[in-house]
């Protein structure tokens, strides 16, 4: 199995920055796409950013130019650097990884437990 542990997040003022990180561990054979989702209170979970194994990135419109996703394939980590934060960025941020476990038979979606990001003055 694969476990995801998120860290970072917290409270930031509007215009400020935060960084969230995700560490994948366990019996990992390979990791494909890595993504960050967020869920604001009363709203559905939405995709924020994604990065392929070959470092191709994609961003949701509202975060384009402000957020940067990165990964370290050797360490099995994915980070999300968030700049120019606004209150609309508030929510729980979830790490999502497509991975092939050593004991698995197919690619599987794995999710972290989520980390809170609050943007408020």
């Amino acid at each position: 199995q694969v476990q995801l542990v998120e860290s970072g997040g917290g409270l930031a003022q509007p215009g400020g920055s935060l960084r969230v990180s995700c560490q994948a561990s366990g019996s990992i054979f390979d990791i494909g796409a890595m993504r960050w989702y967020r869920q604001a209170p009363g709203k559905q979970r939405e995709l924020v950013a994604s990065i392929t194994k070959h470092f191709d990135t994609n961003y949701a419109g509202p975060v384009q130019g402000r957020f940067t996703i990165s990964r370290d394939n050797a360490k099995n980590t994915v980070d999300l650097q968030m700049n120019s934060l606004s209150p609309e960025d508030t929510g729980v941020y979830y790490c999502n990884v497509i991975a092939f476990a050593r004991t698995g038979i197919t690619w599987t979606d794995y999710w972290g437990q989520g980390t809170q990001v609050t943007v408020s003055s």
Side-chain angles (χ1 to χ4, degrees):
Q1 290 296 323
V2 177
Q3 296 81 40
L4 302 179
V5 176
E6 294 133 339
S7 60
L11 176 65
Q13 291 188 340
S17 298
L18 284 173
R19 188 179 188 90
V20 290
S21 300
C22 176
Q23 171 75 61
S25 63
S27 183
I28 300 171
F29 178 74
D30 198 7
I31 295 179
M34 305 180 87
R35 305 183 181 104
W36 283 98
Y37 285 77
R38 70 185 179 189
Q39 187 165 19
K43 294 187 177 181
Q44 288 189 332
R45 191 174 298 185
E46 62 177 357
L47 177 64
V48 175
S50 64
I51 185 167
T52 69
K53 185 177 181 179
H54 303 290
F55 307 105
D56 294 318
T57 59
N58 194 33
Y59 297 92
V63 309
Q64 183 79 42
R66 301 187 297 121
F67 290 12
T68 302
I69 189 171
S70 60
R71 66 187 284 171
D72 186 325
N73 288 340
K75 297 180 179 179
N76 292 334
T77 59
V78 59
D79 294 340
L80 184 68
Q81 177 66 41
M82 303 178 287
N83 299 327
S84 301
L85 286 164
S86 72
E88 288 70 34
D89 296 315
T90 294
V92 179
Y93 282 68
Y94 296 91
C95 174
N96 168 248
V97 164
I98 312 301
F100 204 116
R102 293 189 183 278
T103 56
I105 59 174
T106 187
W107 293 91
T108 302
D109 257 328
Y110 295 94
W111 290 87
Q113 79 286 355
T115 184
Q116 178 69 43
V117 170
T118 302
V119 184
S120 175
S121 55

